[in-house]
Amino acid sequence: MRFTARKVRPPFLGVVPIIMVMLGYGEVLMSQANAAAGVKNVLLIHGGFVDGSGWQGVYDLLKKDGYHVTIVQNPTTSLADDVAVTKRMLAAQDGPAILVGHSYGGVVITEAGNDPKVAGLVYIAAFAPDTGESIDSLLKNPLTGTQTLVWPPESVAPPILPPQDGYLFLDRTKFRAAFAADVSADAAAFMADSQVPWGLGAVGGAVTKPAWKTKPSWYLVSKDDKMIPPDGQRAMSKRAGSTVVEVRGSHAVYVTQPRAVADIIAKAANGVAVATR
C-alpha cells in the first residue's frame, strides 16, 4: 500500500476568507442596524433654482446605510404648492419620517413638518422661519440681535436677477461663485444652465406654524456660504433650538459634502428614536 504525502493546510487559514468577508460586511450591517433602530424614512427637499438631482450623493449613502429615501421634487412655484407636494410624499411613507430641507427647502419643512408623520427636521444651509416670516421678509427685516441675516460688508448679495413673469433666476455668469464655489466648473455650469424658475409665491410664502417649535431639529451650517450668511444660519438654528454641526462648504454643501449631510441626517434619525422610546 502506497501513501501519498499531502500538504496539510492549517485549520485557521480556512477561516481567514470567512473573517474577511464578515469584516467587509460589518460596516454595512452596523449602518443598517442603526437605521433599523431609528426612523428609517427620509425625505429630501431641494431649494430654489435647482431640482432634486443634487441630492444623489446623499441619497446613495443613506440607501447604503439602510434608509428608505424619497426625493421630493417640489415645483418651487409657491409655498402652498411645495408643502402640498411634500405632504403627498409623506402620506406614502409607512411610518415616521425625517424631513430634510436645503435652502428654501427649509421653509417647506418648517411648514410641512407639522404633519403627524414627521419625527424630526434637518436643515442643510437652510432658512428656518418663525411664524409669519418668509424668505422675503427675513431678507428685508433681519432677525434681531447681534447675529442677523444681513450680509457682512465684505460680502456681496446673491446675484438674483429681476423677476421674469413672476419667477426668479440667478445670473448664470455668477452662479458658481455665489451658489457652488466648491463644485467643479463643469458641474456648476450645468447647474447654472439648468436652473429651475423660483416663483415669487415661494419666496414670499409665509410660515403659519413653525414645526421646529414642537419637533426636534438639526442644522448643518455651511461656513463658506455666499447665499445665506453663515451668521444668519447660526441665528436661525439657535432660535430653533437645533443641534448644530458646522462644516466648510458653499451653499451647495449637500452636493459637495454628501457624507457630512448623510451623517447629520443619521444623527437625527437615531436621535428622535432615542427621544421617543
Side-chain angles (χ1 to χ4, degrees):
M1 180 180 293
R2 296 179 60 190
F3 294 92
T4 302
R6 184 176 65 174
K7 183 180 291 186
V8 179
R9 188 182 187 188
F12 75 92
L13 290 179
V15 181
V16 171
I18 299 175
I19 294 175
M20 295 302 291
V21 170
M22 291 178 67
L23 289 174
Y25 282 110
E27 184 177 350
V28 173
L29 292 175
M30 287 180 65
S31 296
Q32 292 178 343
N34 287 337
V39 175
K40 69 173 184 176
N41 297 311
V42 177
L43 279 71
L44 305 175
I45 295 92
H46 64 83
F49 305 120
V50 295
D51 64 11
S53 62
W55 288 111
Q56 184 172 357
V58 177
Y59 170 90
D60 290 342
L61 290 170
L62 291 174
K63 290 286 286 186
K64 180 181 177 182
D65 289 347
Y67 292 94
H68 174 257
V69 187
T70 299
I71 309 294
V72 179
Q73 292 284 24
N74 52 306
T76 65
T77 50
S78 73
L79 179 58
D81 288 345
D82 298 332
V83 169
V85 171
T86 302
K87 287 190 172 183
R88 195 173 300 129
M89 297 298 100
L90 274 170
Q93 307 303 309
D94 61 0
I98 298 294
L99 285 187
V100 184
H102 169 254
S103 193
Y104 161 70
V107 183
V108 178
I109 70 171
T110 299
E111 185 74 14
N114 294 294
D115 188 286
K117 278 193 173 180
V118 177
L121 311 167
V122 180
Y123 294 89
I124 307 298
F127 290 96
D130 202 345
T131 305
E133 292 180 346
S134 64
I135 291 180
D136 188 53
S137 70
L138 281 171
L139 297 180
K140 290 179 179 176
N141 301 293
L143 298 171
T144 58
T146 56
Q147 293 180 322
T148 75
L149 291 180
V150 174
W151 281 268
E154 67 276 10
S155 69
V156 179
I160 300 175
L161 298 172
Q164 301 176 30
D165 300 322
Y167 291 92
L168 298 174
F169 292 89
L170 284 178
D171 185 333
R172 293 181 181 184
T173 64
K174 300 177 181 178
F175 185 98
R176 188 186 185 197
F179 195 105
D182 49 359
V183 174
S184 71
D186 287 344
F190 179 83
M191 293 171 72
D193 290 337
S194 62
Q195 288 183 65
V196 177
W198 191 16
L200 294 178
V203 179
V207 167
T208 60
K209 183 182 178 182
W212 50 256
K213 289 190 175 182
T214 57
K215 306 284 178 79
S217 63
W218 286 255
Y219 198 112
L220 184 74
V221 173
S222 187
K223 295 196 286 187
D224 301 315
D225 201 322
K226 297 296 190 296
M227 294 293 293
I228 305 177
D231 279 349
Q233 296 180 38
R234 296 182 183 106
M236 288 185 288
S237 60
K238 180 179 180 180
R239 181 174 66 175
S242 305
T243 299
V244 179
V245 173
E246 297 201 6
V247 298
R248 299 216 73 91
S250 72
H251 194 57
V253 65
Y254 69 110
V255 176
T256 58
Q257 297 214 40
R259 182 75 267 174
V261 174
D263 283 348
I264 194 172
I265 294 170
K267 287 179 182 178
N270 292 325
V272 294
V274 171
T276 56
R277 280 177 189 154

PDB file of all heavy atoms in Angstrom, residues 159-180:
ATOM      1  N   PRO A 159     -26.540  87.071  -6.623  1.00  0.00           N
ATOM      2  CA  PRO A 159     -26.825  87.720  -7.908  1.00  0.00           C
ATOM      3  C   PRO A 159     -28.181  87.283  -8.500  1.00  0.00           C
ATOM      4  O   PRO A 159     -28.251  86.675  -9.576  1.00  0.00           O
ATOM      5  CB  PRO A 159     -25.659  87.250  -8.779  1.00  0.00           C
ATOM      6  CG  PRO A 159     -25.340  85.890  -8.251  1.00  0.00           C
ATOM      7  CD  PRO A 159     -25.539  85.990  -6.756  1.00  0.00           C
ATOM      8  N   ILE A 160     -29.244  87.599  -7.764  1.00  0.00           N
ATOM      9  CA  ILE A 160     -30.587  87.256  -8.229  1.00  0.00           C
ATOM     10  C   ILE A 160     -31.056  88.314  -9.221  1.00  0.00           C
ATOM     11  O   ILE A 160     -31.032  89.519  -8.929  1.00  0.00           O
ATOM     12  CB  ILE A 160     -31.570  87.162  -7.047  1.00  0.00           C
ATOM     13  CG1 ILE A 160     -31.097  86.087  -6.058  1.00  0.00           C
ATOM     14  CG2 ILE A 160     -32.980  86.838  -7.542  1.00  0.00           C
ATOM     15  CD1 ILE A 160     -31.935  85.988  -4.800  1.00  0.00           C
ATOM     16  N   LEU A 161     -31.469  87.878 -10.391  1.00  0.00           N
ATOM     17  CA  LEU A 161     -31.913  88.796 -11.438  1.00  0.00           C
ATOM     18  C   LEU A 161     -33.331  89.292 -11.149  1.00  0.00           C
ATOM     19  O   LEU A 161     -34.078  88.661 -10.397  1.00  0.00           O
ATOM     20  CB  LEU A 161     -31.871  88.084 -12.794  1.00  0.00           C
ATOM     21  CG  LEU A 161     -30.489  87.607 -13.255  1.00  0.00           C
ATOM     22  CD1 LEU A 161     -30.623  86.753 -14.511  1.00  0.00           C
ATOM     23  CD2 LEU A 161     -29.567  88.791 -13.488  1.00  0.00           C
ATOM     24  N   PRO A 162     -33.727  90.413 -11.742  1.00  0.00           N
ATOM     25  CA  PRO A 162     -35.103  90.902 -11.574  1.00  0.00           C
ATOM     26  C   PRO A 162     -36.108  89.842 -12.020  1.00  0.00           C
ATOM     27  O   PRO A 162     -35.808  89.027 -12.908  1.00  0.00           O
ATOM     28  CB  PRO A 162     -35.154  92.136 -12.477  1.00  0.00           C
ATOM     29  CG  PRO A 162     -33.728  92.590 -12.572  1.00  0.00           C
ATOM     30  CD  PRO A 162     -32.909  91.331 -12.561  1.00  0.00           C
ATOM     31  N   PRO A 163     -37.287  89.819 -11.401  1.00  0.00           N
ATOM     32  CA  PRO A 163     -38.286  88.791 -11.743  1.00  0.00           C
ATOM     33  C   PRO A 163     -38.659  88.805 -13.224  1.00  0.00           C
ATOM     34  O   PRO A 163     -38.714  89.858 -13.860  1.00  0.00           O
ATOM     35  CB  PRO A 163     -39.493  89.189 -10.879  1.00  0.00           C
ATOM     36  CG  PRO A 163     -38.937  90.030  -9.785  1.00  0.00           C
ATOM     37  CD  PRO A 163     -37.774  90.754 -10.370  1.00  0.00           C
ATOM     38  N   GLN A 164     -38.908  87.608 -13.742  1.00  0.00           N
ATOM     39  CA  GLN A 164     -39.390  87.443 -15.112  1.00  0.00           C
ATOM     40  C   GLN A 164     -40.702  86.658 -15.047  1.00  0.00           C
ATOM     41  O   GLN A 164     -40.701  85.480 -14.693  1.00  0.00           O
ATOM     42  CB  GLN A 164     -38.379  86.671 -15.960  1.00  0.00           C
ATOM     43  CG  GLN A 164     -37.005  87.324 -16.058  1.00  0.00           C
ATOM     44  CD  GLN A 164     -36.021  86.458 -16.833  1.00  0.00           C
ATOM     45  OE1 GLN A 164     -36.408  85.708 -17.737  1.00  0.00           O
ATOM     46  NE2 GLN A 164     -34.742  86.553 -16.493  1.00  0.00           N
ATOM     47  N   ASP A 165     -41.793  87.349 -15.329  1.00  0.00           N
ATOM     48  CA  ASP A 165     -43.109  86.701 -15.292  1.00  0.00           C
ATOM     49  C   ASP A 165     -43.388  86.027 -13.954  1.00  0.00           C
ATOM     50  O   ASP A 165     -43.984  84.946 -13.891  1.00  0.00           O
ATOM     51  CB  ASP A 165     -43.244  85.683 -16.417  1.00  0.00           C
ATOM     52  CG  ASP A 165     -43.093  86.314 -17.801  1.00  0.00           C
ATOM     53  OD1 ASP A 165     -43.586  87.444 -17.981  1.00  0.00           O
ATOM     54  OD2 ASP A 165     -42.485  85.683 -18.681  1.00  0.00           O
ATOM     55  N   GLY A 166     -42.927  86.653 -12.883  1.00  0.00           N
ATOM     56  CA  GLY A 166     -43.205  86.116 -11.552  1.00  0.00           C
ATOM     57  C   GLY A 166     -42.222  85.076 -11.049  1.00  0.00           C
ATOM     58  O   GLY A 166     -42.478  84.430 -10.028  1.00  0.00           O
ATOM     59  N   TYR A 167     -41.090  84.927 -11.748  1.00  0.00           N
ATOM     60  CA  TYR A 167     -40.096  83.927 -11.341  1.00  0.00           C
ATOM     61  C   TYR A 167     -38.703  84.551 -11.277  1.00  0.00           C
ATOM     62  O   TYR A 167     -38.402  85.519 -11.986  1.00  0.00           O
ATOM     63  CB  TYR A 167     -40.084  82.749 -12.318  1.00  0.00           C
ATOM     64  CG  TYR A 167     -41.341  81.917 -12.254  1.00  0.00           C
ATOM     65  CD1 TYR A 167     -42.416  82.210 -13.097  1.00  0.00           C
ATOM     66  CD2 TYR A 167     -41.466  80.874 -11.346  1.00  0.00           C
ATOM     67  CE1 TYR A 167     -43.596  81.452 -13.031  1.00  0.00           C
ATOM     68  CE2 TYR A 167     -42.623  80.116 -11.275  1.00  0.00           C
ATOM     69  CZ  TYR A 167     -43.678  80.406 -12.114  1.00  0.00           C
ATOM     70  OH  TYR A 167     -44.836  79.672 -12.048  1.00  0.00           O
ATOM     71  N   LEU A 168     -37.865  83.947 -10.441  1.00  0.00           N
ATOM     72  CA  LEU A 168     -36.511  84.440 -10.245  1.00  0.00           C
ATOM     73  C   LEU A 168     -35.477  83.461 -10.790  1.00  0.00           C
ATOM     74  O   LEU A 168     -35.694  82.241 -10.792  1.00  0.00           O
ATOM     75  CB  LEU A 168     -36.234  84.667  -8.755  1.00  0.00           C
ATOM     76  CG  LEU A 168     -37.096  85.703  -8.033  1.00  0.00           C
ATOM     77  CD1 LEU A 168     -36.789  85.685  -6.543  1.00  0.00           C
ATOM     78  CD2 LEU A 168     -36.868  87.090  -8.622  1.00  0.00           C
ATOM     79  N   PHE A 169     -34.345  84.007 -11.238  1.00  0.00           N
ATOM     80  CA  PHE A 169     -33.195  83.218 -11.668  1.00  0.00           C
ATOM     81  C   PHE A 169     -31.940  83.873 -11.106  1.00  0.00           C
ATOM     82  O   PHE A 169     -31.918  85.074 -10.819  1.00  0.00           O
ATOM     83  CB  PHE A 169     -33.071  83.185 -13.195  1.00  0.00           C
ATOM     84  CG  PHE A 169     -34.165  82.430 -13.896  1.00  0.00           C
ATOM     85  CD1 PHE A 169     -35.328  83.082 -14.276  1.00  0.00           C
ATOM     86  CD2 PHE A 169     -34.024  81.078 -14.175  1.00  0.00           C
ATOM     87  CE1 PHE A 169     -36.342  82.391 -14.939  1.00  0.00           C
ATOM     88  CE2 PHE A 169     -35.026  80.384 -14.834  1.00  0.00           C
ATOM     89  CZ  PHE A 169     -36.189  81.042 -15.216  1.00  0.00           C
ATOM     90  N   LEU A 170     -30.865  83.067 -10.987  1.00  0.00           N
ATOM     91  CA  LEU A 170     -29.563  83.616 -10.661  1.00  0.00           C
ATOM     92  C   LEU A 170     -28.819  83.948 -11.951  1.00  0.00           C
ATOM     93  O   LEU A 170     -28.975  83.257 -12.968  1.00  0.00           O
ATOM     94  CB  LEU A 170     -28.735  82.608  -9.858  1.00  0.00           C
ATOM     95  CG  LEU A 170     -29.081  82.405  -8.379  1.00  0.00           C
ATOM     96  CD1 LEU A 170     -28.182  81.328  -7.790  1.00  0.00           C
ATOM     97  CD2 LEU A 170     -28.932  83.691  -7.589  1.00  0.00           C
ATOM     98  N   ASP A 171     -28.022  84.995 -11.896  1.00  0.00           N
ATOM     99  CA  ASP A 171     -27.155  85.347 -13.021  1.00  0.00           C
ATOM    100  C   ASP A 171     -26.236  84.157 -13.314  1.00  0.00           C
ATOM    101  O   ASP A 171     -25.453  83.727 -12.458  1.00  0.00           O
ATOM    102  CB  ASP A 171     -26.333  86.586 -12.642  1.00  0.00           C
ATOM    103  CG  ASP A 171     -25.476  87.104 -13.785  1.00  0.00           C
ATOM    104  OD1 ASP A 171     -25.094  86.306 -14.666  1.00  0.00           O
ATOM    105  OD2 ASP A 171     -25.179  88.310 -13.788  1.00  0.00           O
ATOM    106  N   ARG A 172     -26.343  83.610 -14.505  1.00  0.00           N
ATOM    107  CA  ARG A 172     -25.568  82.410 -14.849  1.00  0.00           C
ATOM    108  C   ARG A 172     -24.069  82.633 -14.732  1.00  0.00           C
ATOM    109  O   ARG A 172     -23.315  81.731 -14.355  1.00  0.00           O
ATOM    110  CB  ARG A 172     -25.903  81.953 -16.263  1.00  0.00           C
ATOM    111  CG  ARG A 172     -27.327  81.443 -16.428  1.00  0.00           C
ATOM    112  CD  ARG A 172     -27.566  80.991 -17.850  1.00  0.00           C
ATOM    113  NE  ARG A 172     -28.938  80.527 -18.037  1.00  0.00           N
ATOM    114  CZ  ARG A 172     -29.404  80.009 -19.161  1.00  0.00           C
ATOM    115  NH1 ARG A 172     -28.601  79.897 -20.208  1.00  0.00           N
ATOM    116  NH2 ARG A 172     -30.658  79.611 -19.247  1.00  0.00           N
ATOM    117  N   THR A 173     -23.621  83.827 -15.071  1.00  0.00           N
ATOM    118  CA  THR A 173     -22.181  84.100 -15.064  1.00  0.00           C
ATOM    119  C   THR A 173     -21.620  84.183 -13.638  1.00  0.00           C
ATOM    120  O   THR A 173     -20.403  84.087 -13.451  1.00  0.00           O
ATOM    121  CB  THR A 173     -21.872  85.419 -15.792  1.00  0.00           C
ATOM    122  OG1 THR A 173     -22.475  86.514 -15.072  1.00  0.00           O
ATOM    123  CG2 THR A 173     -22.406  85.387 -17.216  1.00  0.00           C
ATOM    124  N   LYS A 174     -22.515  84.363 -12.657  1.00  0.00           N
ATOM    125  CA  LYS A 174     -22.076  84.474 -11.260  1.00  0.00           C
ATOM    126  C   LYS A 174     -22.576  83.309 -10.408  1.00  0.00           C
ATOM    127  O   LYS A 174     -22.402  83.304  -9.191  1.00  0.00           O
ATOM    128  CB  LYS A 174     -22.561  85.806 -10.676  1.00  0.00           C
ATOM    129  CG  LYS A 174     -22.041  87.027 -11.423  1.00  0.00           C
ATOM    130  CD  LYS A 174     -22.614  88.317 -10.859  1.00  0.00           C
ATOM    131  CE  LYS A 174     -22.107  89.538 -11.630  1.00  0.00           C
ATOM    132  NZ  LYS A 174     -22.701  90.804 -11.115  1.00  0.00           N
ATOM    133  N   PHE A 175     -23.203  82.341 -11.053  1.00  0.00           N
ATOM    134  CA  PHE A 175     -23.828  81.235 -10.322  1.00  0.00           C
ATOM    135  C   PHE A 175     -22.818  80.466  -9.480  1.00  0.00           C
ATOM    136  O   PHE A 175     -23.035  80.215  -8.288  1.00  0.00           O
ATOM    137  CB  PHE A 175     -24.516  80.278 -11.310  1.00  0.00           C
ATOM    138  CG  PHE A 175     -25.297  79.181 -10.651  1.00  0.00           C
ATOM    139  CD1 PHE A 175     -26.671  79.294 -10.474  1.00  0.00           C
ATOM    140  CD2 PHE A 175     -24.675  78.024 -10.207  1.00  0.00           C
ATOM    141  CE1 PHE A 175     -27.401  78.282  -9.857  1.00  0.00           C
ATOM    142  CE2 PHE A 175     -25.386  77.011  -9.584  1.00  0.00           C
ATOM    143  CZ  PHE A 175     -26.759  77.142  -9.416  1.00  0.00           C
ATOM    144  N   ARG A 176     -21.699  80.090 -10.102  1.00  0.00           N
ATOM    145  CA  ARG A 176     -20.739  79.267  -9.363  1.00  0.00           C
ATOM    146  C   ARG A 176     -20.192  79.984  -8.142  1.00  0.00           C
ATOM    147  O   ARG A 176     -20.135  79.413  -7.043  1.00  0.00           O
ATOM    148  CB  ARG A 176     -19.586  78.848 -10.282  1.00  0.00           C
ATOM    149  CG  ARG A 176     -18.655  77.837  -9.611  1.00  0.00           C
ATOM    150  CD  ARG A 176     -17.430  77.531 -10.449  1.00  0.00           C
ATOM    151  NE  ARG A 176     -16.626  76.480  -9.837  1.00  0.00           N
ATOM    152  CZ  ARG A 176     -15.367  76.223 -10.146  1.00  0.00           C
ATOM    153  NH1 ARG A 176     -14.743  76.962 -11.075  1.00  0.00           N
ATOM    154  NH2 ARG A 176     -14.707  75.251  -9.539  1.00  0.00           N
ATOM    155  N   ALA A 177     -19.784  81.229  -8.295  1.00  0.00           N
ATOM    156  CA  ALA A 177     -19.210  81.972  -7.167  1.00  0.00           C
ATOM    157  C   ALA A 177     -20.206  82.119  -6.022  1.00  0.00           C
ATOM    158  O   ALA A 177     -19.834  82.037  -4.853  1.00  0.00           O
ATOM    159  CB  ALA A 177     -18.751  83.348  -7.645  1.00  0.00           C
ATOM    160  N   ALA A 178     -21.472  82.305  -6.348  1.00  0.00           N
ATOM    161  CA  ALA A 178     -22.479  82.545  -5.315  1.00  0.00           C
ATOM    162  C   ALA A 178     -23.039  81.271  -4.715  1.00  0.00           C
ATOM    163  O   ALA A 178     -23.240  81.173  -3.505  1.00  0.00           O
ATOM    164  CB  ALA A 178     -23.627  83.378  -5.900  1.00  0.00           C
ATOM    165  N   PHE A 179     -23.294  80.278  -5.552  1.00  0.00           N
ATOM    166  CA  PHE A 179     -24.045  79.102  -5.122  1.00  0.00           C
ATOM    167  C   PHE A 179     -23.170  77.863  -4.944  1.00  0.00           C
ATOM    168  O   PHE A 179     -23.414  77.055  -4.044  1.00  0.00           O
ATOM    169  CB  PHE A 179     -25.131  78.795  -6.163  1.00  0.00           C
ATOM    170  CG  PHE A 179     -26.201  77.840  -5.711  1.00  0.00           C
ATOM    171  CD1 PHE A 179     -27.462  78.306  -5.375  1.00  0.00           C
ATOM    172  CD2 PHE A 179     -25.970  76.478  -5.656  1.00  0.00           C
ATOM    173  CE1 PHE A 179     -28.464  77.427  -4.976  1.00  0.00           C
ATOM    174  CE2 PHE A 179     -26.960  75.594  -5.253  1.00  0.00           C
ATOM    175  CZ  PHE A 179     -28.213  76.075  -4.903  1.00  0.00           C
ATOM    176  N   ALA A 180     -22.170  77.698  -5.791  1.00  0.00           N
ATOM    177  CA  ALA A 180     -21.464  76.416  -5.852  1.00  0.00           C
ATOM    178  C   ALA A 180     -19.967  76.584  -6.047  1.00  0.00           C
ATOM    179  O   ALA A 180     -19.363  75.972  -6.936  1.00  0.00           O
ATOM    180  CB  ALA A 180     -22.052  75.567  -6.983  1.00  0.00           C
TER     181      ALA A 180
END
